[in-house]
Amino acid sequence: MVKTPIYFDHAATTPLCEEAFDKMKPYFTENFGNANSQHCFGREAVKAVDEARDTIASIINCKPGELYFTSGGTESDNWALRGIASAHKDKGKHIIISPIEHAAMITTAKELAKDGFEIEFMKVDEEGFVDLEHLKSIIRDDTILVACMMANNEVGTIEPIKEIAEIAHSKNAVMFTDAVQAAGVLKIDVKALGVDLMSMSSHKIYGPKGVGALYIRTGLKIDSIITGGHQERTKRGGTTNVPGVVGFAKAFEIAARDMDKNFEYVSSLRDRFINKVLAEVPFVKLNGPRKEGRLPANADFSFRYIEGESILFSLDLAGIAVSSGSACSSGSLEPSHVLLALGLPEGLAHGSIRFSFGKRNTAEEIDYAVEVLKQAVDRLRKMSPLFKVEGETKNV
């Protein structure tokens, strides 16, 4: 008998690993000092922060001084976009981003457009991969920034970041990648990739919530967006979250150490789930690439004739936690902007569910979830007037 509840929403957040929690504990109690204080308590705190910075820098192949701690991926994304726009506006105001970026990027870009910046979207194909030829055709001498996430948070597509960076640099534009879904899951070498900025978040890799980082290449001109303090070498004001930083580094260290093993195992769960759903659930579409170029944990499906929210609630009642699209925007009634960019019609985009697996999940949980999903979809479709009209004769 499979034990419930079952957690299939690791793209939204992951459980804090025990090793990271143990590493954090002393910095809540006896080693509680402010890392900006000059006394012994502060020195103990700053030592822990410096060691954490060294650990993460070594994993992504950057200098410790190029790594700045933030409150998470959203702040890092905002800093990258707003900071470059402000610092480079004398060169131009043309910014290129992918249409499937996280809401932290899309919303911020729209706000910059109100301030006179020209935002242009590069095209993606039906699986979410960036059209490199289109990017070459729209980049200009006055382009100041090209931004593309390393791996999509909704459909799991892994982008050709090195090639995108080369195109950006051909016009002396800054290259930024949101690696929130990729860091700790894929091998990342910022120097080999050629990126100038890269965001990361702790809670996607079994670390604590509320802490992340932004890699900023040495010599890159970027303005601050949080002022009022001298923390993070005067670049980002605010008291350093010492326990969070320590936990982040420990979780990242473990993720890097176990990366190959976790990738193989979680990919096997993903493939088992995808194969079963495609074989056993009718009128369904897999969103994103079939296997190659897809994050190991991700399986995103659209179910024709029913709303994704209805499936989510049905699965939740059966003890299975999933997400309707992106967790960051699942409260919205609008269809997924990612799926619309991939060319899905609104009706099919509304019927999407994201399943994202973790290292603690099992094959037995996969099989149980497929059976529950089949029953839920069948029950919901029987209540759908559209299915009664079209379902007998029309496939996806």
Side-chain angles (χ1 to χ4, degrees), residues 15-76:
L16 179 64
C17 69
E18 187 174 343
E19 297 96 326
F21 186 42
D22 289 342
K23 189 80 171 180
M24 294 168 67
K25 287 177 183 177
Y27 298 94
F28 286 112
T29 52
E30 61 264 27
N31 298 336
F32 58 84
N34 187 325
N36 211 42
S37 299
Q38 302 302 308
H39 46 60
C40 61
F41 291 90
R43 290 195 298 272
E44 189 68 26
V46 79
K47 178 183 176 184
V49 172
D50 287 344
E51 288 176 353
R53 202 185 311 271
D54 289 345
T55 296
I56 297 174
S58 67
I59 295 171
I60 65 171
N61 189 30
C62 74
K63 302 171 187 175
E66 296 176 308
L67 199 63
Y68 298 83
F69 290 116
T70 67
S71 64
T74 294
E75 182 193 330
S76 296

Side-chain angles (χ1 to χ4, degrees), residues 42-312:
R43 290 195 298 272
E44 189 68 26
V46 79
K47 178 183 176 184
V49 172
D50 287 344
E51 288 176 353
R53 202 185 311 271
D54 289 345
T55 296
I56 297 174
S58 67
I59 295 171
I60 65 171
N61 189 30
C62 74
K63 302 171 187 175
E66 296 176 308
L67 199 63
Y68 298 83
F69 290 116
T70 67
S71 64
T74 294
E75 182 193 330
S76 296
D77 286 358
N78 269 260
W79 186 4
L81 189 48
R82 294 181 188 275
I84 292 299
S86 175
H88 294 254
K89 60 181 180 291
D90 289 342
K91 181 204 171 191
K93 290 192 171 184
H94 185 233
I95 294 172
I96 301 173
I97 69 174
S98 89
I100 61 172
E101 294 298 296
H102 187 275
M105 289 292 291
I106 298 291
T107 303
T108 304
K110 289 178 179 178
E111 291 177 357
L112 286 175
K114 295 177 184 177
D115 294 331
F117 286 87
E118 181 185 353
I119 309 299
E120 190 161 3
F121 293 98
M122 60 186 92
K123 292 180 180 178
V124 295
D125 66 16
E126 67 277 3
E127 292 185 335
F129 292 108
V130 166
D131 184 333
L132 297 178
E133 293 305 314
H134 179 253
L135 175 58
K136 291 176 184 177
S137 73
I138 63 173
I139 194 167
R140 309 184 322 218
D141 290 336
D142 64 338
T143 303
I144 58 173
L145 177 69
V146 175
C148 181
M149 62 198 331
M150 191 171 294
N152 184 260
N153 54 303
E154 192 167 335
V155 298
T157 307
I158 301 170
E159 302 290 355
I161 296 301
K162 183 176 181 180
E163 290 81 358
I164 296 170
E166 290 172 352
I167 296 170
H169 293 156
S170 71
K171 295 293 186 180
N172 295 316
V174 174
M175 173 62 197
F176 165 65
T177 188
D178 174 338
V180 167
Q181 293 290 334
V185 177
L186 307 176
K187 289 183 173 65
I188 295 175
D189 181 329
V190 293
K191 304 303 182 187
L193 288 173
V195 298
D196 302 298
L197 297 146
M198 185 179 78
S199 62
M200 298 174 285
S201 186
S202 165
H203 73 108
K204 306 295 185 178
I205 53 170
Y206 302 88
K209 298 176 183 66
V211 61
L214 181 66
Y215 158 74
I216 304 175
R217 176 181 54 77
T218 298
L220 181 66
K221 184 181 177 183
I222 183 170
D223 289 345
S224 299
I225 61 170
I226 297 181
T227 56
H230 297 286
Q231 295 86 355
E232 292 302 288
R233 302 177 301 288
T234 74
K235 290 285 190 181
R236 191 262 187 189
T239 302
T240 303
N241 178 2
V242 178
V245 165
V246 168
F248 181 17
K250 187 61 179 179
F252 210 158
E253 180 182 39
I254 294 168
R257 182 195 69 196
D258 298 339
M259 187 177 293
D260 291 341
K261 177 181 70 175
N262 289 338
F263 192 101
E264 181 179 2
Y265 178 70
V266 178
S267 293
S268 72
L269 296 179
R270 175 203 66 192
D271 293 343
R272 184 184 186 96
F273 184 78
I274 289 175
N275 291 338
K276 281 180 168 287
V277 171
L278 291 177
E280 301 178 29
V281 182
F283 307 110
V284 64
K285 182 184 186 305
L286 176 67
N287 299 314
R290 178 67 180 83
K291 185 173 180 179
E292 294 300 321
R294 188 184 197 107
L295 285 173
N298 179 282
D300 188 275
F301 285 97
S302 287
F303 299 85
R304 190 176 284 279
Y305 309 118
I306 45 180
E307 293 283 339
E309 296 286 347
S310 300
I311 303 173
L312 184 151

